[in-house]
Amino acid sequence: MAAEVAMFLQVIQGRVPDRSAMRVQHDRWLAEIGSDAPGWLGSTAGVTEDDRFVCLSRFSSAEALVRLGARTDQREWWARTERLFLGPVVTAEFHDVEIMLEGGADDASFVQVVQGRATDTARLAVLQKELLRHLPDGRPDMIGGLAAVGPDGRFMRVFYFSDEELARAGEHGEPLPEVAEIDFDLRELSGEPTYHDLRHPWLASPPPAGPAAGRAGETSASETGAGAARSAAKAGSEPWSQPDRRAAARRR
């Protein structure tokens, strides 16, 4: 079941050869900034096998991100973090977000990020909403998901799995007819998307009863901060159509 929520999503991507150093920065953000970041709802991050860092941070509004980016400690944190990237840092922002089941599930052990671009944003939004509505019926290994479309046609779909082995078995299984039809229409609309597999995701969200401490071993919402937005301005948006594409059938 899909639901539209009041959520602002910022995505940050770039090459990070030293994942250990990035993890240290991530944990530092959680300890020093995330514990007092009003409007931060959680984040999902990690580094792929080819050293591509991906971070998706969820906020209650775009204003919450702006307020975070105005903080001195956030700007200082980003200045140190930015040096870990090899090449440009790329950001994207999404105001319209649909969630499935738990949304960003912090107990996932495997996360798959799907991205691309389409020309018909209205049609894409409808198809993604339908996809999230039907997927849980045929994929018990999926414990959460979200989808977002930007005004320029860029899109993100993020799926959270209890286990990578189960996820691989599920993607090679026979999909529900409704899902197969939606998948076909999505590919007709946007072509083959790009996939990023996070085999060791860093997942964090504020604890229910207070400001954020996040789960030890999770991503810094701040990898997204407004400081990052400044860096991204000089980066452009090329990687949105570049990264490791796969021709594998039946990936979602």
Side-chain angles (χ1 to χ4, degrees):
M1 181 176 202
E4 189 170 357
V5 296
M7 183 185 295
F8 176 80
L9 179 70
Q10 187 185 53
V11 182
I12 293 193
Q13 295 177 286
R15 298 285 179 183
V16 175
D18 190 344
R19 65 185 66 202
S20 296
M22 178 61 83
R23 183 58 180 273
V24 168
Q25 282 300 96
H26 147 257
D27 290 345
R28 179 174 293 146
W29 188 91
L30 289 177
E32 299 176 2
I33 303 174
S35 59
D36 181 27
W40 171 58
L41 302 179
S43 47
T44 298
V47 183
T48 64
E49 297 298 305
D50 64 342
D51 297 331
R52 180 170 295 276
F53 174 76
V54 182
C55 178
L56 306 98
S57 291
R58 308 182 299 278
F59 292 87
S60 58
S61 66
E63 291 72 25
L65 177 60
V66 171
R67 288 194 297 270
L68 176 65
R71 290 171 48 163
T72 301
D73 54 355
Q74 168 68 22
R75 293 198 299 269
E76 291 174 349
W77 177 90
W78 176 251
R80 293 191 298 268
T81 303
E82 187 179 19
R83 293 196 288 268
L84 299 177
F85 288 90
L86 179 64
V89 181
V90 178
T91 65
E93 298 177 348
F94 301 91
H95 292 266
D96 299 319
V97 182
E98 299 277 345
I99 65 170
M100 178 183 77
L101 300 175
E102 296 181 29
D106 284 358
D107 54 347
S109 65
F110 175 66
V111 176
Q112 187 173 79
V113 179
V114 185
Q115 68 182 74
R117 190 188 294 268
T119 53
D120 189 340
T121 57
R123 175 64 175 154
L124 177 63
V126 169
L127 287 172
Q128 291 198 145
K129 186 173 184 177
E130 285 299 295
L131 180 67
L132 295 192
R133 185 166 72 88
H134 289 290
L135 269 178
D137 294 333
R139 295 294 300 272
D141 53 311
M142 283 188 179
I143 58 177
L146 60 87
V149 181
D152 60 354
R154 287 192 279 186
F155 66 83
M156 298 292 302
R157 295 192 288 272
V158 188
F159 300 110
Y160 298 78
F161 299 89
S162 56
D163 179 83
E164 182 178 3
E165 188 175 344
L166 292 176
R168 298 305 184 196
E171 82 182 16
H172 292 297
E174 190 64 32
L176 294 175
E178 298 89 345
V179 171
E181 183 177 349
I182 294 168
D183 199 37
F184 177 82
D185 290 343
L186 283 169
R187 291 173 191 277
E188 286 286 298
L189 195 62
S190 63
E192 182 68 22
T194 296
Y195 297 87
H196 302 295
D197 291 343
L198 303 180
R199 293 189 164 91
H200 304 285
W202 308 340
L203 306 164
S205 57
R215 198 180 86 190
E218 258 245 8
T219 223
S220 97
S222 150
E223 253 111 70
T224 116
R230 296 190 186 94
S231 306
K234 56 186 178 186
S237 58
E238 259 66 60
W240 212 260
S241 55
Q242 272 178 20
D244 23 330
R245 289 186 176 278
R246 300 180 190 166
R250 252 188 252 158
R251 290 292 274 254
R252 268 173 283 287

